[in-house]
Amino acid sequence: MRFDRLVAVLLLLQRREQVTAAEVSRELDVSERTARRDLEALAMAGVPVYSVRGRGGGWRLVGGARTDLSGLTASEARALFLAVGPASGATPAMKAALRKLVHALPKPFQVEAEAAASSLVVDPQRWGASRIEPRPPRFLDELQDAVIRGVQVSLGYVDGKGVETRRTVHPLGIVAKGPVWYLVSNTGTGRRVFRIDRVSSADPTENPVQRPGDFDLAESWNEIAEEVDRKRTPLEVSAVCTPEGIDVLRMALGDRLDVGGPTTDGRVAVVIRGPNEYILAGELSGLVEWVEVTAPPGVRDRMASIGNALVERYGRPRTGGGLHSS
């Protein structure tokens, strides 16, 4: 936290010709004594800051010294440090640019900056999943450049069935979801999303992108992600769950669970989404200690069938030492 404060004090000095300990105290919500110690720490660390005594005095930077990070808050500066570390999904060129910004800090801060850059590791693999080393897709840089320059791209694309097509797209933005990168574009048939690892060629044109005036990449991606989730889990199951089982359901089902209000018998109404009756029945059969499915009937029938099969297989006493075959 002190490193953040020292960066914040430095940025405050850059924005104003002079500051007092009382002003720093109010800005950073610390005591005047702490503010004075932070200002003295900057001077002792070699930052060109000095105090002006007497009425109208305060603290100033020698010669109005500045760094290239003068527009950043302390939190934004720390985010930059994290962005240049190994956990970042940034391209090598982006990391190089961010390192230049980090090195624009005064030398006394660079040790802390480098520590922040190496303080986080992101492992995108789930437990039990095979390890696949994520690599930036081949045409990521070309498509990022097209988004930034606002030019259309002649795109070669191989769909999930292996069919290759070519079309002209209007790149609007790029999204990384886990290890997979996506290009959000306008096309002649409306807004489309392309997996960048399936792009077979990307040739920028000189024609400008037709970009909707109200387009927001984050909002657009949220809409796309919700639509994909609905298509992947079109079936909804209504059920009731005991209060103590809600956390179990959240761990098992994640965002496929919607929790409603209490029922008259003290249980909780829930809605569970899944791809089909067979998969949902299999999942929920292991949760019958807490969950009772009320609809649709097809899921209840499949769960009953699973229950009968379990009783048939495991309800009878085993004979001999080997496996019992039925």
Side-chain angles (χ1 to χ4, degrees):
M1 288 301 294
R2 193 183 190 203
F3 175 62
D4 279 354
R5 286 205 319 272
L6 292 178
V7 174
V9 172
L10 176 59
L11 299 177
L12 188 61
L13 282 163
Q14 291 173 340
R15 289 199 302 270
R16 303 179 185 180
E17 181 178 347
Q18 178 176 290
V19 297
T20 65
E23 289 170 338
V24 172
S25 170
R26 287 193 297 271
E27 287 279 346
L28 304 185
D29 194 25
V30 296
S31 68
E32 283 194 37
R33 183 179 181 184
T34 297
R36 190 173 297 105
R37 284 181 175 176
D38 287 345
L39 288 161
E40 292 170 350
L42 286 175
M44 292 176 64
V47 176
V49 59
Y50 67 100
S51 63
V52 178
R53 301 193 180 279
R55 179 176 294 182
W59 292 79
R60 298 184 179 187
L61 287 169
V62 174
R66 302 182 66 82
T67 75
D68 290 338
L69 297 180
S70 58
L72 298 177
T73 67
S75 296
E76 290 167 340
R78 186 173 291 278
L80 272 182
F81 305 153
L82 292 174
V84 300
S88 169
T91 63
M94 192 181 302
K95 286 187 177 183
L98 290 171
R99 284 193 186 96
K100 290 179 181 178
L101 284 175
V102 169
H103 289 304
L105 279 175
K107 287 189 180 297
F109 289 159
Q110 289 181 15
V111 173
E112 288 89 345
E114 290 167 1
S118 60
S119 66
L120 179 66
V121 170
V122 175
D123 184 352
Q125 301 300 322
R126 294 183 179 181
W127 294 113
S130 59
R131 177 161 294 281
I132 300 174
E133 190 68 28
R135 297 180 180 177
R138 179 181 173 190
F139 293 101
L140 178 60
D141 287 343
E142 289 87 342
L143 293 171
Q144 283 180 324
D145 181 67
V147 171
I148 293 168
R149 294 196 296 122
V151 296
Q152 299 176 36
V153 173
S154 177
L155 193 75
Y157 190 73
V158 180
D159 66 19
K161 298 180 180 178
V163 178
E164 184 171 6
T165 56
R166 177 171 286 275
R167 72 200 80 191
T168 298
V169 302
H170 298 247
L172 301 175
I174 289 174
V175 175
K177 183 172 178 61
V180 182
W181 294 79
Y182 296 90
L183 173 70
V184 181
S185 297
N186 269 345
T187 70
T189 56
R191 192 163 302 171
R192 288 284 310 277
V193 176
F194 301 94
R195 279 183 58 143
I196 298 180
D197 58 357
R198 292 182 182 169
V199 173
S200 57
S201 62
D203 301 310
T205 71
E206 296 304 317
N207 299 321
V209 165
Q210 296 175 9
R211 187 181 183 90
D214 59 348
F215 177 77
D216 180 275
L217 180 60
E219 291 180 4
S220 179
W221 178 254
N222 285 338
E223 294 172 0
I224 293 166
E226 288 175 2
E227 182 179 354
V228 170
D229 283 340
R230 285 196 298 270
K231 289 181 178 178
R232 291 178 66 244
T233 57
L235 180 63
E236 289 190 350
V237 165
S238 298
V240 288
C241 178
T242 61
E244 61 271 18
I246 291 295
D247 286 342
V248 179
L249 261 64
R250 286 196 173 106
M251 288 189 290
L253 303 170
D255 59 6
R256 293 189 291 125
L257 171 71
D258 291 325
V259 179
T263 61
T264 55
D265 61 2
R267 291 183 291 180
V268 180
V270 296
V271 174
I272 300 159
R273 298 185 304 280
N276 54 55
E277 290 184 350
Y278 182 82
I279 290 177
L280 274 172
E283 287 182 313
L284 297 177
S285 293
L287 300 170
V288 293
E289 181 178 351
W290 305 280
V291 178
E292 179 186 350
V293 172
T294 56
V299 174
R300 290 174 56 90
D301 292 343
R302 287 188 179 275
M303 291 179 68
S305 177
I306 291 171
N308 291 334
L310 288 170
V311 171
E312 176 68 19
R313 176 63 60 87
Y314 299 105
R316 293 181 299 176
R318 294 178 60 185
T319 60
L323 292 174
H324 179 80
S325 59
S326 56

